[in-house]
Amino acid sequence: MHKRIAGLSAQLRSCVYLIPFYTFLFTLKVFGLPKRGNILLACRKSNTLSYPLQYADEKPRDTEKRIEKTLKDISKLLPIETTYMLDEEIRKET
């Protein structure tokens, strides 16, 4: 899983530089492109997801919270949905 996530992160990072006129297209806000800096930060955060899912001194609930926070951070940096878990408000209803 580490190799797969790290590979996708590297692919995303490199693809940013393949889009012709990225800065111009970003300025137009036609395609909803994020800032290049946001993409690089999101790649860093996704790399943290590729590390061990649970640290030795971490409780399972803390692991879940850490991963969910990282996914939400990525979602704020990129215009994509990253969380497939229910939000706290919905959890309370069920």
Side-chain angles (χ1 to χ4, degrees):
M1 181 153 37
H2 168 75
K3 287 182 183 179
R4 180 79 171 133
I5 293 173
L8 289 171
S9 175
Q11 185 178 7
L12 174 61
R13 184 177 175 154
S14 66
C15 284
V16 170
Y17 299 101
L18 296 176
I19 299 173
F21 311 108
Y22 189 95
T23 304
F24 176 71
L25 294 172
F26 169 77
T27 305
L28 291 178
K29 300 192 183 297
V30 176
F31 300 109
L33 296 172
K35 293 180 186 178
R36 278 190 176 150
N38 284 1
I39 293 173
L40 300 178
L41 287 172
C43 288
R44 271 193 215 140
K45 290 194 174 284
S46 67
N47 281 335
T48 65
L49 291 175
S50 71
Y51 301 142
L53 291 180
Q54 185 173 357
Y55 301 117
D57 61 342
E58 191 174 46
K59 295 177 183 174
R61 179 67 180 137
D62 294 334
T63 302
E64 180 184 334
K65 286 180 182 179
R66 179 176 48 81
I67 291 171
E68 188 172 10
K69 181 189 179 316
T70 302
L71 289 171
K72 285 182 179 181
D73 290 346
I74 292 170
S75 182
K76 289 176 186 174
L77 293 167
L78 306 175
I80 59 172
E81 175 62 39
T82 59
T83 57
Y84 302 103
M85 296 187 256
L86 298 174
D87 287 331
E88 287 297 320
E89 296 80 37
I90 297 172
R91 286 185 201 172
K92 290 176 185 174
E93 293 175 6
T94 56

